């Protein structure tokens, strides 16, 4: 399966992504206000990767469901930019080992979660 396929960009596709993005963004904000800092971002990226892996095994990438969940909900829910900013701030603040551990740990969690999601979805 390839991730880069998609539906023709019509009004239904646009609305599916917009609605999903609203839900995903709200879910990330809710979770990250309860678990702050790098741990919250890692949890968001890990659970989002798990969900994306499961969805990749179950949903057609050219469906409205894919646009709503993968592109909309999970696209807004996961946050590589937040992870990158926090890692850089740790590094610049002198916590170099912590920054490196955050980078390695976050990538490892995300890759493992996608693999687990794919396995669970098969």
């Amino acid at each position: 399966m390839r991730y880069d396929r998609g539906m023709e960009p019509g009004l239904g596709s646009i609305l599916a992504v917009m609605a999903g993005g609203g839900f995903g963004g709200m879910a990330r904000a809710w979770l990250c206000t309860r678990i702050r800092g790098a741990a919250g971002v890692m949890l968001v990226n890990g659970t989002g990767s798990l969900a994306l892996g499961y969805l990749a095994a179950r949903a057609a990438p050219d469906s409205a469901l894919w646009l709503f969940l993968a592109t909309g909900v999970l696209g807004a829910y996961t946050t590589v930019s937040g992870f990158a900013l926090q890692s850089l701030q740790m590094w610049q603040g002198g916590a170099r080992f912590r920054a490196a551990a955050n980078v390695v740990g976050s990538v490892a969690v995300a890759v493992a979660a996608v693999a687990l999601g794919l396995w669970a979805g098969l």
Side-chain angles (χ1 to χ4, degrees), residues 50-98:
L50 175 66
L52 185 60
Y54 185 83
L55 186 63
R58 295 289 182 166
D62 56 353
S63 66
L65 179 65
W66 181 268
L67 286 175
F68 175 75
L69 292 175
T71 306
V73 173
L74 296 175
Y77 177 70
T78 59
T79 172
V80 173
S81 57
F83 147 73
L85 176 62
Q86 288 175 336
S87 298
L88 181 62
Q89 288 172 337
M90 287 177 208
W91 184 271
Q92 290 174 332
R96 299 212 164 147
F97 178 79
R98 187 170 173 221

